[in-house]
């Protein structure tokens, strides 16, 4: 009954436009920072101010420059002012609370020194620990420790040689049951880069403008033509599909060999969920293919944690390539590729990450198996982690909005972007939260548009009501 009958429940997302006054003040703030940056560079050039940034050696001036002018300027004059808000060293399990090594800077964030003191019990609002499995106690950790003593920490070979364990076979069968398809587990960081040789010259990729950098890199490496559609905008996507079919390839006007739509389940910077029913409807209408990156949605969405496909009540067979990761909801490492048997058999033989990458570590495999059985209810537990995340998400977003903050994203997404806008607020917000023993991720340009800086909260089943009340 919602959105022309494609949705079985309301689909509510909010992206409030930046207020005009805030946008103007944000641009003015960046302008002032840039102006003073050029002034300080002038002082450094004349040795009035000490130069501490990386520079080209005199004998290398004729070589290709190592640093782009603006990139280097931005790093030393804007990013350096708030550099203390990132790369904070954690010295504990990244659960609901973490321990952090204290560090100070005596030269305005050019270098840091450790004081030797550890700040205890900082509330962790930045880790992708959606279901709370990042812990060092409990069933998952006991099972992983047992497997570690039996199999060791590493496999030291690829699966096609001497690295195929019975644990890997068990994991494959379990993922296939969990997702309802044939799956291939492998190293996470190689998926998007090496899957795209499936697409050759003469193929077309239609990519959401907010897709993750790994998807963008994989698309570029494929050699296929790339066209971008506006984020979650089905009119923009349909126009590109129509143009691709009507006009064909540039110059030759031959039909495209393949057209692949490239989307994510949850967009980690926006907190939005892909409009999957509409995407699948367009995919069927124009006879194209669909690649779904479920890095953030697997485990975190759907009544039983099976991701965005289950969240919308759709058929997994309508998604041609389904990629997900174990690094977030499952508290482990690696990930999987899901699809039809022909696709998985092809990847086993020809994918670089399947042929050349070392197999997943046995204790990591056991962590995935145990946590997945817990999500599926096969371990005998009755505690619904998904329901706890969903309740915390809706309560947290409602309370932040009541306080007057501008919040982006879908009401069901565990990623909660809180808008800061102005450059000075990025560092100030991170520091003030840390003073109150709360660790948050703050994000600015170039990871976001220049007038849309934000703090990003990631809600977890490990967060209690008391923790969220404190935040």
């Amino acid at each position: 009954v919602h959105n022309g009958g494609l949705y079985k429940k309301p689909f509510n997302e909010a992206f409030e436009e930046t207020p005009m006054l805030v946008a103007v003040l944000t641009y003015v703030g960046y302008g002032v920072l840039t102006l003073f940056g050029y002034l300080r560079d002038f002082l450094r050039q004349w040795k009035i101010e000490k130069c501490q940034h990386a520079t080209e050696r005199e004998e290398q001036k004729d070589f290709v420059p190592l640093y782009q002018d603006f990139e280097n300027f931005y790093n030393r004059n804007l990013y350096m002012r708030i550099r203390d808000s990132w790369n904070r060293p954690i010295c504990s399990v990244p659960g609901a609370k973490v321990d952090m090594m204290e560090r100070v800077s005596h030269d305005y964030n050019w270098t840091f020194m450790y004081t030797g003191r550890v700040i205890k019990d900082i509330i962790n609002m930045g880790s992708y620990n959606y279901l709370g499995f990042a812990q060092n106690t409990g069933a998952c950790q006991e099972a992983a420790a047992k497997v570690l003593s039996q199999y060791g920490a590493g496999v030291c070979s690829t699966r096609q040689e001497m690295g195929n364990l019975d644990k890997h076979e068990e994991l494959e069968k379990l993922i296939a049951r969990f997702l309802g398809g044939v799956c291939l587990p492998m190293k996470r960081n190689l998926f998007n880069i090496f899957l795209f040789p499936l697409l050759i010259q003469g193929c077309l990729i239609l990519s959401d403008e907010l897709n993750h950098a790994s998807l963008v890199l994989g698309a570029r490496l494929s050699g296929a033509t790339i066209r971008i559609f506006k984020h979650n905008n089905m009119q923009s996507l349909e126009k590109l599909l129509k143009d691709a079919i009507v006009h064909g390839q540039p110059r030759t006007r031959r039909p495209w060999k393949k057209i692949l739509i490239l989307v994510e389940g949850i967009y980690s910077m926006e907190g939005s969920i892909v409009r999957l029913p509409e995407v699948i409807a367009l995919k069927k209408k124009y006879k194209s293919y669909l690649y779904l990156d479920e890095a953030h949605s697997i485990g975190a969405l759907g009544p039983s944690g099976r991701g965005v496909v289950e969240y919308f009540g759709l058929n997994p067979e309508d998604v041609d390539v389904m990629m997900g990761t174990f690094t977030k909801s499952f508290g482990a490492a690696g990930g999987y590729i899901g699809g039809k048997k022909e696709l998985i058999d092809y990847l086993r033989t020809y994918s670089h990450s399947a042929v050349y990458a070392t197999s997943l570590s046995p204790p990591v495999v056991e962590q995935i198996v145990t946590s997945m059985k817990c999500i599926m209810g096969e371990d005998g537990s009755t505690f619904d982690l998904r329901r706890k995340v969903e309740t915390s998400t809706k309560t947290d977003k409602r309370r932040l909005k009541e306080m007057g903050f501008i919040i982006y994203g879908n009401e069901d997404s565990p990623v909660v972007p809180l808008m800061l806008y102005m450059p000075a607020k990025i560092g100030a917000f991170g520091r003030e939260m840390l003073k109150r023993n709360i660790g948050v991720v703050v994000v600015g340009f170039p990871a976001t548009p220049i007038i849309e800086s934000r703090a990003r909260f990631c809600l977890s089943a490990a967060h209690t009501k008391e923790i969220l009340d404190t935040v």
Side-chain angles (χ1 to χ4, degrees):
V1 296
H2 304 281
N3 292 58
L6 291 175
Y7 294 82
K8 296 174 183 175
K9 60 180 180 178
F11 185 78
N12 299 319
E13 290 192 349
F15 295 96
E16 184 176 329
E17 190 173 345
T18 306
M20 180 60 72
L21 178 61
V22 173
V24 170
L25 291 174
T26 302
Y27 279 122
V28 169
Y30 275 106
V32 171
L33 284 171
T34 303
L35 185 64
F36 275 87
Y38 281 115
L39 175 61
R40 297 189 74 171
D41 277 357
F42 175 79
L43 297 176
R44 290 168 188 146
Q45 186 178 355
W46 289 95
K47 313 296 183 188
I48 299 172
E49 181 178 326
K50 184 180 178 183
C51 179
Q52 302 192 67
H53 62 85
T55 54
E56 305 283 357
R57 287 162 50 181
E58 196 63 39
E59 56 268 32
Q60 293 178 321
K61 293 291 184 184
D62 295 332
F63 287 79
V64 176
L66 291 174
Y67 309 102
Q68 295 180 3
D69 286 342
F70 178 74
E71 182 182 301
N72 205 13
F73 174 86
Y74 183 88
N75 282 341
R76 65 178 176 265
N77 292 305
L78 283 80
Y79 167 71
M80 198 61 65
R81 294 171 179 266
I82 51 177
R83 187 174 164 223
D84 58 305
S85 299
W86 290 280
N87 305 317
R88 290 169 175 162
I90 305 297
C91 51
S92 71
V93 172
K97 294 186 177 181
V98 295
D99 298 337
M100 186 182 295
M101 295 173 65
E102 186 181 60
R103 60 179 184 173
V104 295
S105 177
H106 302 295
D107 53 6
Y108 302 101
N109 291 344
W110 286 99
T111 59
F112 293 98
M113 294 179 60
Y114 296 106
T115 63
R117 192 171 80 90
V118 173
I119 309 172
K120 296 280 189 180
D121 294 330
I122 293 175
I123 295 174
N124 178 14
M125 297 302 296
S127 296
Y128 303 129
N129 182 27
Y130 299 128
L131 297 182
F133 286 117
Q135 53 190 5
N136 54 7
T137 57
C140 292
Q141 284 57 48
E142 290 169 8
K146 184 177 179 182
V147 168
L148 177 64
S149 64
Q150 181 180 352
Y151 290 87
V155 182
C156 303
S157 182
T158 68
R159 288 195 69 187
Q160 291 200 357
E161 294 170 341
M162 296 293 290
N164 190 32
L165 305 178
D166 57 344
K167 285 291 173 189
H168 294 127
E169 301 284 343
E170 179 187 354
L171 175 60
E172 271 191 19
K173 291 172 184 173
L174 185 62
I175 303 169
R177 270 199 298 121
F178 184 60
L179 296 174
V182 185
C183 296
L184 172 64
M186 60 176 87
K187 293 288 183 69
R188 162 74 173 95
N189 60 339
L190 297 175
F191 294 155
N192 297 323
I193 294 176
F194 289 122
L195 176 64
F196 283 98
L198 287 170
L199 299 168
I200 57 175
Q201 198 168 5
C203 295
L204 175 65
I205 297 173
L206 302 180
S207 175
D208 190 292
E209 65 180 348
L210 296 182
N211 277 338
H212 190 266
S214 62
L215 287 170
V216 174
L217 177 59
R220 288 175 179 170
L221 289 175
S222 70
T225 302
I226 306 167
R227 290 177 185 163
I228 310 298
F229 64 91
K230 292 178 183 177
H231 175 56
N232 250 354
N233 188 316
M234 297 303 109
Q235 290 77 21
S236 176
L237 174 58
E238 185 166 19
K239 184 179 183 303
L240 289 179
L241 283 165
K242 283 180 179 177
D243 289 346
I245 291 169
V246 171
H247 300 297
Q249 298 183 40
R251 294 191 299 276
T252 64
R253 301 302 176 195
R254 292 175 181 169
W256 294 100
K257 294 175 182 175
K258 289 177 189 164
I259 299 176
L260 178 76
I261 302 170
L262 192 57
V263 294
E264 293 186 50
I266 293 178
Y267 291 84
S268 60
M269 280 297 169
E270 312 301 315
S272 61
I273 298 174
V274 64
R275 293 179 176 274
L276 194 59
E278 296 175 67
V279 174
I280 289 177
L282 288 176
K283 171 222 159 184
K284 290 179 177 178
K285 181 178 179 181
Y286 294 99
K287 305 294 188 293
S288 54
Y289 295 90
L290 175 60
Y291 181 105
L292 174 64
D293 181 341
E294 287 223 78
H296 289 268
S297 52
I298 191 68
L301 283 182
S304 55
R306 286 172 167 83
V308 71
V309 177
E310 185 190 47
Y311 173 78
F312 287 112
L314 302 170
N315 188 346
E317 292 183 4
D318 290 333
V319 181
D320 300 286
V321 187
M322 192 182 295
M323 189 280 284
T325 177
F326 304 126
T327 60
K328 297 173 175 63
S329 293
F330 301 94
Y336 62 85
I337 290 283
K340 291 191 169 121
K341 185 178 185 302
E342 295 81 5
L343 170 69
I344 301 304
D345 288 343
Y346 180 87
L347 291 176
R348 285 188 201 281
T349 309
Y350 295 104
S351 171
H352 287 69
S353 49
V355 177
Y356 297 113
T358 306
S359 304
L360 289 175
S361 170
V364 170
V365 172
E366 188 62 23
Q367 163 78 17
I368 300 164
V369 168
T370 312
S371 59
M372 193 172 288
K373 285 181 178 178
C374 177
I375 296 169
M376 296 168 73
E378 293 186 4
D379 63 340
S381 65
T382 57
F383 184 61
D384 190 350
L385 298 172
R386 262 287 309 129
R387 187 65 58 193
K388 189 172 186 298
V389 177
E390 186 178 345
T391 304
S392 298
T393 296
K394 290 186 176 179
T395 304
D396 194 56
K397 286 188 175 181
R398 176 178 52 79
R399 291 179 64 184
L400 287 172
K401 287 178 180 177
E402 287 172 356
M403 294 170 70
F405 290 107
I406 295 177
I407 305 298
Y408 272 10
N410 193 287
E411 64 176 15
D412 292 328
S413 168
V415 178
V416 184
L418 183 150
M419 304 310 292
L420 301 174
Y421 299 112
M422 301 178 195
K425 283 189 178 181
I426 302 173
F429 189 86
R431 294 177 194 125
E432 289 299 321
M433 293 294 274
L434 188 59
K435 285 179 186 177
R436 292 156 177 78
N437 265 33
I438 301 169
V440 299
V441 172
V442 286
V443 191
F445 180 81
T448 67
I450 198 165
I451 60 168
E452 292 184 8
S453 301
R454 65 198 66 179
R456 184 183 64 186
F457 298 96
C458 293
L459 297 174
S460 167
H463 291 144
T464 62
K465 183 180 182 300
E466 291 72 29
I467 286 176
L468 294 179
D469 286 343
T470 302
V471 176

